[in-house]
């Protein structure tokens, strides 16, 4: 019961899940502190974390506020596609301004979150880059007015 097979083939046991939960609460928590919580040595936690990262189970990153870094405009772009979705999603993912891409079911085939320095930069991104991707038939832009919640601590199952 304590092990779960992930999509990438990695197996998460209860200790791996506990390590992930510790890092979701505080990504800067020391391996020694995590080790005390989960019953492992600092070295063992370090090895486990490295394996989780290498297997693509998790990333340890600094989550920033784009507004504080000079990016005045964030938006979600809904995209309708004619033809294969993966090449469009891959082209979007390769763009520096795009920080999130997901293939969806529903009104839009692909959603892309974008971060730009200004309204002019957003207009240029959508008009010249995004809409020029082969297969895109329509876009709709949802400009963010205010961020009310952003969390990455949903736990593990």
């Amino acid at each position: 019961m304590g092990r779960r097979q992930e999509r990438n083939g990695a197996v998460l046991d209860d200790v791996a899940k506990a390590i992930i939960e510790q890092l979701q609460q505080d990504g800067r928590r020391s391996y020694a502190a995590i080790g005390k919580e989960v019953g492992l040595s600092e070295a063992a936690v370090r090895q486990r974390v490295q394996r989780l990262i290498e297997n693509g189970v998790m990333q340890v990153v600094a989550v920033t506020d784009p507004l504080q870094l000079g990016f005045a405009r964030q938006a979600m772009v809904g995209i309708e596609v004619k033809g294969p979705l993966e090449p469009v999603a891959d082209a979007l993912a390769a763009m520096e301004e795009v920080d999130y891409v997901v293939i969806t079911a529903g009104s839009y085939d692909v959603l892309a979150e974008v971060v730009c320095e200004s309204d002019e930069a957003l207009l240029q991104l959508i008009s010249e880059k995004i809409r020029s991707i082969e297969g895109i038939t329509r876009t709709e832009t949802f400009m963010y007015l205010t961020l009310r919640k952003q969390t990455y601590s949903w736990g593990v199952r």
Side-chain angles (χ1 to χ4, degrees), residues 1-154:
M1 174 165 147
R3 299 173 84 77
R4 178 171 179 238
Q5 181 83 26
E6 295 302 304
R7 285 183 286 184
N8 65 359
V11 176
L12 295 183
D13 61 12
D14 290 337
V15 174
K17 292 176 185 179
I19 291 170
I20 292 168
E21 286 177 334
Q22 291 287 309
L23 289 169
Q24 283 179 324
Q25 292 169 13
D26 180 359
R28 297 177 300 159
R29 186 167 286 154
S30 73
Y31 293 148
I34 294 170
K36 287 179 184 174
E37 292 293 322
V38 302
L40 292 177
S41 69
E42 179 179 349
V45 171
R46 181 179 291 105
Q47 289 174 346
R48 290 278 200 123
V49 168
Q50 187 60 39
R51 198 165 43 241
L52 291 166
I53 292 168
E54 288 170 358
N55 288 332
V57 174
M58 68 176 202
Q59 298 175 22
V60 180
V61 299
V63 177
T64 60
D65 179 351
L67 290 174
Q68 301 270 348
L69 299 176
F71 296 98
R73 183 57 64 210
Q74 285 182 276
M76 183 66 70
V77 182
I79 301 163
E80 291 181 11
V81 176
K82 182 176 183 179
L85 303 178
E86 291 84 356
V88 171
D90 292 342
L92 290 162
M95 294 181 182
E96 181 180 314
E97 304 90 344
V98 176
D99 64 15
Y100 176 83
V101 178
V102 63
I103 295 173
T104 65
S107 299
Y108 298 102
D109 300 305
V110 178
L111 293 175
E113 184 178 62
V114 300
V115 179
C116 296
E117 293 179 20
S118 64
D119 288 339
E120 294 79 21
L122 177 61
L123 176 61
Q124 183 178 12
L125 172 66
I126 293 168
S127 295
E128 297 176 18
K129 289 177 142 182
I130 292 177
R131 288 186 178 169
S132 69
I133 297 171
E134 186 175 340
I136 292 181
T137 59
R138 180 176 174 269
T139 65
E140 184 174 357
T141 304
F142 301 91
M143 293 181 19
Y144 297 177
L145 299 177
T146 183
L147 178 64
R148 301 302 291 191
K149 181 177 181 179
Q150 181 174 11
T151 183
Y152 299 98
S153 57
W154 45 77

